[in-house]
Amino acid sequence: MRSMKLAAAAVAALSLFAAACGSDSDSSGSTAAPVATDAAAATEAPAATEAPADTTAATEAPAATEAPADTTADTAAAGAMDLDTNGDGKIQFGIAAAGPRDDGGYYQALVDKATAVSQENGYEDPIVVDNITTEDAATELANLADQGVDAIFVGASEIADPLTDLIDQYPDIFWYCNCGAGYPANPGLAQSQDDSSEISYTAGYATGLLLKDSGGDSAAFIGCCDLNFEKEAYLAYELGLKDVDPSYTMTYIPTGAFPFDFDNTAGATEALNGAITNGADAVYPYLGGAHEPLVKIANEKGLVTMTAGSSKGCERTDLSYQIQVKFDGGDYLDAILNEIIAGTFHEGDTRVFHVGVDPQPGAEICKPTPEQQAAMDDVYAKIAAGDFAAKFGEIKGQAYSGG
């Protein structure tokens, strides 16, 4: 479905990503030429007889073996995808987001990464369509495809239902979706997924560690409307919280209209104020457009708070985060593009990011004590080893099938 670059220039043109993959080809360097064989000793003529044809000349040394040409770059280029999928001589991304492009969290992460990649490589500015509703997704995605973009990055599963039909209608576009676990495979769709149970458990555990030091004992998990994936997140969060101290409590509070209303600032503000009145010491604003307004309130009231996806929370200066809960669409896209350039990731592939295995997902305490960091490292290692697999399986069963 996609044309493939056959020259090393494909990688050079996208050096930002190819550099990250260089270590994969270090073992493919040139083969050293063997040392030339010494000349054989001269053969003497037989005694007392007529010398045969002259064999006294020294045997010539065999020519040194030439090193084979280094084909590493050509091999990488042969596997690399030409991002100019429509052949118009320029590269332009289309971004489809279910929430606001400037939410400071989950939606913005994907937009920021695609914009940075475009600027650093001389591509056209991305075309961003945000605040796409489930009902309008088919129309908005088709409109985006009609604008001549080479690739479309879909930020979430709630607007992904039309993709099966759109991939057939626009086969030349490279389609990518950060659709999350459970979205069906499609030969025309590249996907990234993660495990919400793993990520949310680390968020709850990190919260518990901070509450242990601060003397708090309760957390509020503020979301939309008790969707299945929210249930998985808050149940795993609660498990992590209680694994620090079984007496700690977590309350889930829905704030939006069904389905997918993560931007209801008024409802979320009312919910947080109510939680504070009831003694909440920490808040996880599991929201989109309503996320930052709640973080500001949490900062004013001195609550422990955290990002909902962004891996850039700890470096913020306008807001104060104590934890960054990473399932950053921009980080996933960065890794995916590296693998596309390396020729190891293609349409139809699904890249699953795991806590303790990949650096992208999982919660981090922004300013941990040595003891807190050691505890988080231990939890990451246990997740990677599968120690919580059974518990996470139970959570998924409860969230998605009432089990």
Side-chain angles (χ1 to χ4, degrees), residues 43-70:
T43 303
E44 293 183 1
T49 60
E50 183 177 350
D54 186 7
T55 61
T56 60
T59 303
E60 290 186 2
T65 303
E66 291 186 3
D70 185 350

Side-chain angles (χ1 to χ4, degrees), residues 132-147:
I132 300 174
T133 65
T134 304
E135 296 79 12
D136 294 335
T139 300
E140 295 290 358
L141 288 169
N143 289 342
L144 186 57
D146 285 333
Q147 296 184 60

Side-chain angles (χ1 to χ4, degrees), residues 328-353:
D328 191 304
D331 292 345
Y332 294 168
L333 178 62
D334 194 15
I336 292 298
L337 286 175
N338 281 324
E339 293 170 8
I340 291 171
I341 300 310
T344 60
F345 188 83
H346 311 89
E347 284 181 321
D349 291 346
T350 298
R351 173 74 156 84
V352 183
F353 294 88

Side-chain angles (χ1 to χ4, degrees), residues 164-188:
T164 300
D165 292 336
L166 290 170
I167 289 167
D168 290 338
Q169 294 174 30
Y170 301 92
D172 290 336
I173 291 176
F174 185 91
W175 293 90
Y176 162 78
C177 183
N178 182 26
C179 282
Y183 194 84
N186 184 306

